[in-house]
Amino acid sequence: MIYLDAFERVLDSGWFILGKEVKKFEEEFANYCGVSNCIGVANGLDALILILEAYKVMGMMKNGDEVIVPSNTYIASILAISKAGLVPVLVEPDINTYLLDPVLVEAKITPRTRAVLPVHLYGLLCDMDAINTIARKHNLKVIEDSAQSHGAVLGVSRSGNLGDASGFSFYPGKNLGALGDGGAICTNDEELTKILRALRNYGSHIKYQNLYCGINSRLDELQAAFLSVKLRSLDADNQYRRKVAQYYIDQIKNEKIILPVPAGSDVLNNPKHVWHLFVVRVTNRDDFQKYLRDHTIQTVIHYPIPPHLQQAYKNYSHLKFLISEKIHKEVVSLPLSSVITPGEMQKIVEVINKY
Ligand SMILES: *Cc1c(COP(=O)(O)O)cnc(C)c1O
């Protein structure tokens, strides 16, 4: 077993934090993403927090500055902004792609805006050409939340190389998942990289010398060793996900179900989507979920409550995000993974088409 080999190698080395394995994985993942630097961290949330903290160290942002983020993202994208002492400015997504709408982004820019944080939600890349153009025009940083889009490609660039810096999560359920928590930052910015390498390690470049008030957020040697193994099959795993998505899109025929875009187009040859999730919309979601459950098909909702209606953000609860609210009421994720079998897929389609 190849994971056992990785485990034994790390165990025998007796070195568990910031050693050869992390360095090796950082190089491999930077290469894969086409960036000059990758910095391993403890998880995806920390990756985003640390990027913002590093920009604060560089004097490019300060407490109270604003960061534009989609209102329907997983709450971690928004928490990262709050945790870094900045203000999340929520923007409605496009109802068809569920992604940040560049037109609405521009409308929310104020003199305090410092960055845009596009989220490649469900595995589909945002309209990064439009977002980067707006950001350049207004002198904003673009920070990708790549936690759901490992390996997705836009033109000649991969997710992680489509902005100024990018945060990845290696939570086990992600397209590239560790056997526990893990995360990384990708960037071509050398100064940012230097600061990030210190910030993740108590703010220290050199042992017992602390330049900054950093935190302890490091990718483990063991997880890095496992991730090096997993990275080798990421492209194949993503292609299998596309096959599953293509099958669902071709075979699901039920007017009650709104399929994801790009439904009907050539999913297998669309590198922009890595199908982290296959999310459909149904008006009567509870009924649909129960029906599937009665036929032993488990579904999950990503996500049931919009961030602005969470207790944690009760100061946002007076705001109206009607598109997000509709999305959060209607979405259901169908089973999709790199290990789902054709038999399982066929049964799921049969059951759904009879709903
Ligand atoms: C998973 C996820 C995160 C957070 O990653 P963790 O490793 O769980 O901290 C951030 N943003 C998005 C969009 C995610 O899906």
Side-chain angles (χ1 to χ4, degrees), residues 9-41:
R9 192 170 68 236
V10 174
L11 190 65
D12 289 347
S13 79
W15 194 278
F16 301 104
I17 301 288
L18 294 187
K20 282 197 287 226
E21 300 290 339
V22 168
K23 190 162 185 297
K24 175 165 164 279
F25 175 72
E26 285 177 341
E27 281 166 14
E28 289 168 353
F29 197 59
N31 263 336
Y32 177 83
C33 295
V35 293
S36 44
N37 302 290
C38 169
I39 303 102
V41 296

Short mmCIF file of all heavy atoms in Angstrom, two decimals, residues 9-41:
data_model
loop_
_atom_site.label_atom_id
_atom_site.label_comp_id
_atom_site.label_asym_id
_atom_site.label_seq_id
_atom_site.Cartn_x
_atom_site.Cartn_y
_atom_site.Cartn_z
N ARG A 9 7.97 5.97 5.80
CA ARG A 9 9.08 6.88 5.47
C ARG A 9 9.13 8.03 6.48
O ARG A 9 10.18 8.36 7.01
CB ARG A 9 8.87 7.42 4.05
CG ARG A 9 10.06 8.14 3.46
CD ARG A 9 9.83 8.42 1.98
NE ARG A 9 8.78 9.41 1.76
CZ ARG A 9 7.71 9.21 1.00
NH1 ARG A 9 7.53 8.05 0.39
NH2 ARG A 9 6.80 10.16 0.86
N VAL A 10 7.94 8.60 6.78
CA VAL A 10 7.90 9.72 7.73
C VAL A 10 8.23 9.23 9.14
O VAL A 10 9.02 9.85 9.86
CB VAL A 10 6.52 10.42 7.69
CG1 VAL A 10 6.43 11.50 8.77
CG2 VAL A 10 6.28 11.03 6.31
N LEU A 11 7.65 8.10 9.50
CA LEU A 11 7.91 7.57 10.85
C LEU A 11 9.40 7.30 11.04
O LEU A 11 9.99 7.68 12.06
CB LEU A 11 7.11 6.27 11.04
CG LEU A 11 7.06 5.71 12.46
CD1 LEU A 11 6.32 6.68 13.39
CD2 LEU A 11 6.38 4.35 12.49
N ASP A 12 10.01 6.67 10.06
CA ASP A 12 11.44 6.34 10.16
C ASP A 12 12.30 7.60 10.22
O ASP A 12 13.36 7.61 10.85
CB ASP A 12 11.89 5.47 8.97
CG ASP A 12 11.33 4.06 9.08
OD1 ASP A 12 10.81 3.72 10.17
OD2 ASP A 12 11.37 3.32 8.07
N SER A 13 11.83 8.66 9.55
CA SER A 13 12.63 9.88 9.54
C SER A 13 12.64 10.55 10.92
O SER A 13 13.58 11.25 11.28
CB SER A 13 12.08 10.88 8.51
OG SER A 13 10.94 11.56 9.04
N GLY A 14 11.60 10.30 11.69
CA GLY A 14 11.51 10.92 13.03
C GLY A 14 11.28 12.42 12.96
O GLY A 14 11.43 13.12 13.96
N TRP A 15 10.91 12.95 11.80
CA TRP A 15 10.74 14.39 11.60
C TRP A 15 9.30 14.63 11.14
O TRP A 15 8.91 14.17 10.08
CB TRP A 15 11.74 14.89 10.56
CG TRP A 15 11.88 16.38 10.52
CD1 TRP A 15 11.05 17.24 9.87
CD2 TRP A 15 12.86 17.17 11.18
NE1 TRP A 15 11.46 18.53 10.08
CE2 TRP A 15 12.58 18.52 10.88
CE3 TRP A 15 13.97 16.87 12.00
CZ2 TRP A 15 13.36 19.58 11.36
CZ3 TRP A 15 14.74 17.93 12.46
CH2 TRP A 15 14.44 19.26 12.15
N PHE A 16 8.52 15.39 11.94
CA PHE A 16 7.08 15.44 11.68
C PHE A 16 6.54 16.81 11.28
O PHE A 16 5.40 16.92 10.85
CB PHE A 16 6.31 14.91 12.90
CG PHE A 16 6.71 13.50 13.23
CD1 PHE A 16 7.56 13.23 14.29
CD2 PHE A 16 6.27 12.46 12.43
CE1 PHE A 16 7.95 11.93 14.56
CE2 PHE A 16 6.66 11.16 12.69
CZ PHE A 16 7.51 10.89 13.76
N ILE A 17 7.33 17.86 11.52
CA ILE A 17 6.85 19.22 11.22
C ILE A 17 7.88 19.94 10.34
O ILE A 17 9.07 19.93 10.66
CB ILE A 17 6.66 20.03 12.53
CG1 ILE A 17 5.66 19.36 13.48
CG2 ILE A 17 6.24 21.47 12.21
CD1 ILE A 17 4.21 19.42 13.05
N LEU A 18 7.39 20.58 9.25
CA LEU A 18 8.24 21.39 8.37
C LEU A 18 9.58 20.72 8.04
O LEU A 18 10.64 21.20 8.42
CB LEU A 18 8.47 22.79 8.97
CG LEU A 18 7.22 23.67 9.10
CD1 LEU A 18 7.62 25.08 9.54
CD2 LEU A 18 6.41 23.75 7.81
N GLY A 19 9.47 19.65 7.31
CA GLY A 19 10.67 18.94 6.87
C GLY A 19 10.64 18.69 5.37
O GLY A 19 10.02 19.44 4.62
N LYS A 20 11.29 17.58 4.98
CA LYS A 20 11.45 17.24 3.57
C LYS A 20 10.12 17.02 2.84
O LYS A 20 9.97 17.38 1.68
CB LYS A 20 12.25 15.93 3.45
CG LYS A 20 13.75 16.09 3.64
CD LYS A 20 14.48 14.86 3.10
CE LYS A 20 14.27 13.67 4.03
NZ LYS A 20 15.38 12.88 4.39
N GLU A 21 9.17 16.39 3.53
CA GLU A 21 7.91 16.03 2.86
C GLU A 21 7.10 17.27 2.50
O GLU A 21 6.52 17.34 1.42
CB GLU A 21 7.06 15.09 3.75
CG GLU A 21 7.75 13.79 4.09
CD GLU A 21 7.90 12.84 2.90
OE1 GLU A 21 7.15 12.99 1.90
OE2 GLU A 21 8.76 11.95 2.98
N VAL A 22 7.03 18.22 3.43
CA VAL A 22 6.28 19.45 3.16
C VAL A 22 6.96 20.20 2.02
O VAL A 22 6.30 20.67 1.08
CB VAL A 22 6.16 20.32 4.43
CG1 VAL A 22 5.65 21.72 4.08
CG2 VAL A 22 5.23 19.67 5.44
N LYS A 23 8.28 20.29 2.10
CA LYS A 23 9.03 20.99 1.05
C LYS A 23 8.78 20.34 -0.32
O LYS A 23 8.52 21.03 -1.32
CB LYS A 23 10.52 20.96 1.38
CG LYS A 23 11.37 21.85 0.52
CD LYS A 23 12.73 22.11 1.19
CE LYS A 23 13.56 23.11 0.41
NZ LYS A 23 13.92 22.64 -0.95
N LYS A 24 8.81 19.02 -0.34
CA LYS A 24 8.60 18.28 -1.59
C LYS A 24 7.18 18.52 -2.11
O LYS A 24 6.98 18.83 -3.29
CB LYS A 24 8.84 16.80 -1.33
CG LYS A 24 8.54 15.88 -2.49
CD LYS A 24 9.18 14.49 -2.24
CE LYS A 24 8.60 13.42 -3.16
NZ LYS A 24 7.31 12.88 -2.72
N PHE A 25 6.19 18.40 -1.24
CA PHE A 25 4.82 18.60 -1.70
C PHE A 25 4.60 20.05 -2.16
O PHE A 25 3.93 20.29 -3.17
CB PHE A 25 3.80 18.22 -0.62
CG PHE A 25 2.39 18.56 -1.06
CD1 PHE A 25 1.77 17.82 -2.06
CD2 PHE A 25 1.72 19.66 -0.52
CE1 PHE A 25 0.48 18.15 -2.50
CE2 PHE A 25 0.44 20.00 -0.96
CZ PHE A 25 -0.17 19.24 -1.95
N GLU A 26 5.17 20.99 -1.42
CA GLU A 26 5.03 22.40 -1.82
C GLU A 26 5.57 22.61 -3.24
O GLU A 26 4.96 23.30 -4.05
CB GLU A 26 5.76 23.32 -0.83
CG GLU A 26 5.01 23.49 0.49
CD GLU A 26 5.77 24.36 1.52
OE1 GLU A 26 6.99 24.54 1.38
OE2 GLU A 26 5.13 24.83 2.47
N GLU A 27 6.70 21.98 -3.53
CA GLU A 27 7.28 22.12 -4.88
C GLU A 27 6.39 21.46 -5.92
O GLU A 27 6.11 22.02 -6.98
CB GLU A 27 8.69 21.51 -4.91
CG GLU A 27 9.73 22.46 -4.32
CD GLU A 27 11.07 21.78 -4.03
OE1 GLU A 27 11.29 20.65 -4.54
OE2 GLU A 27 11.88 22.37 -3.29
N GLU A 28 5.92 20.26 -5.58
CA GLU A 28 5.07 19.53 -6.53
C GLU A 28 3.77 20.29 -6.81
O GLU A 28 3.32 20.38 -7.95
CB GLU A 28 4.73 18.14 -5.98
CG GLU A 28 5.90 17.19 -5.96
CD GLU A 28 5.62 15.93 -5.15
OE1 GLU A 28 4.56 15.85 -4.48
OE2 GLU A 28 6.47 15.03 -5.16
N PHE A 29 3.17 20.82 -5.74
CA PHE A 29 1.87 21.47 -5.93
C PHE A 29 2.04 22.82 -6.63
O PHE A 29 1.20 23.20 -7.46
CB PHE A 29 1.13 21.62 -4.59
CG PHE A 29 -0.35 21.90 -4.77
CD1 PHE A 29 -1.16 21.00 -5.45
CD2 PHE A 29 -0.91 23.06 -4.27
CE1 PHE A 29 -2.52 21.27 -5.63
CE2 PHE A 29 -2.27 23.33 -4.44
CZ PHE A 29 -3.07 22.43 -5.13
N ALA A 30 3.12 23.53 -6.33
CA ALA A 30 3.41 24.78 -7.03
C ALA A 30 3.58 24.50 -8.53
O ALA A 30 3.00 25.17 -9.38
CB ALA A 30 4.66 25.44 -6.46
N ASN A 31 4.35 23.46 -8.84
CA ASN A 31 4.54 23.04 -10.24
C ASN A 31 3.23 22.73 -10.90
O ASN A 31 2.95 23.16 -12.02
CB ASN A 31 5.39 21.77 -10.29
CG ASN A 31 6.82 22.09 -10.55
OD1 ASN A 31 7.12 23.15 -11.10
ND2 ASN A 31 7.71 21.21 -10.13
N TYR A 32 2.42 21.94 -10.19
CA TYR A 32 1.14 21.52 -10.74
C TYR A 32 0.26 22.73 -11.05
O TYR A 32 -0.37 22.79 -12.10
CB TYR A 32 0.44 20.58 -9.75
CG TYR A 32 -0.93 20.15 -10.21
CD1 TYR A 32 -1.07 19.08 -11.10
CD2 TYR A 32 -2.08 20.81 -9.78
CE1 TYR A 32 -2.33 18.70 -11.55
CE2 TYR A 32 -3.33 20.43 -10.22
CZ TYR A 32 -3.45 19.37 -11.10
OH TYR A 32 -4.68 19.01 -11.56
N CYS A 33 0.23 23.68 -10.12
CA CYS A 33 -0.63 24.86 -10.31
C CYS A 33 0.01 25.89 -11.23
O CYS A 33 -0.65 26.85 -11.64
CB CYS A 33 -0.95 25.51 -8.96
SG CYS A 33 -1.94 24.46 -7.89
N GLY A 34 1.29 25.74 -11.52
CA GLY A 34 1.97 26.67 -12.41
C GLY A 34 2.38 27.96 -11.73
O GLY A 34 2.59 28.97 -12.39
N VAL A 35 2.52 27.93 -10.40
CA VAL A 35 2.95 29.13 -9.67
C VAL A 35 4.38 28.94 -9.18
O VAL A 35 4.89 27.82 -9.13
CB VAL A 35 2.03 29.43 -8.45
CG1 VAL A 35 0.65 29.81 -8.91
CG2 VAL A 35 1.99 28.25 -7.49
N SER A 36 5.00 30.05 -8.77
CA SER A 36 6.38 29.91 -8.31
C SER A 36 6.46 29.49 -6.84
O SER A 36 7.48 28.97 -6.41
CB SER A 36 7.14 31.21 -8.54
OG SER A 36 6.38 32.32 -8.16
N ASN A 37 5.38 29.71 -6.07
CA ASN A 37 5.46 29.38 -4.65
C ASN A 37 4.20 28.72 -4.11
O ASN A 37 3.10 29.15 -4.44
CB ASN A 37 5.69 30.65 -3.83
CG ASN A 37 6.95 31.37 -4.25
OD1 ASN A 37 8.05 30.91 -4.01
ND2 ASN A 37 6.77 32.50 -4.91
N CYS A 38 4.42 27.70 -3.27
CA CYS A 38 3.32 27.10 -2.52
C CYS A 38 3.77 27.04 -1.07
O CYS A 38 4.91 26.69 -0.77
CB CYS A 38 3.04 25.69 -3.04
SG CYS A 38 1.93 24.74 -1.98
N ILE A 39 2.87 27.43 -0.16
CA ILE A 39 3.17 27.43 1.27
C ILE A 39 2.15 26.53 1.95
O ILE A 39 0.95 26.83 1.95
CB ILE A 39 3.07 28.87 1.86
CG1 ILE A 39 4.02 29.81 1.12
CG2 ILE A 39 3.39 28.87 3.36
CD1 ILE A 39 3.35 30.72 0.11
N GLY A 40 2.58 25.42 2.50
CA GLY A 40 1.67 24.50 3.18
C GLY A 40 1.22 25.07 4.52
O GLY A 40 2.04 25.63 5.26
N VAL A 41 -0.06 24.94 4.81
CA VAL A 41 -0.60 25.42 6.09
C VAL A 41 -1.55 24.36 6.66
O VAL A 41 -1.73 23.30 6.06
CB VAL A 41 -1.32 26.78 5.95
CG1 VAL A 41 -0.34 27.88 5.54
CG2 VAL A 41 -2.47 26.70 4.95
#
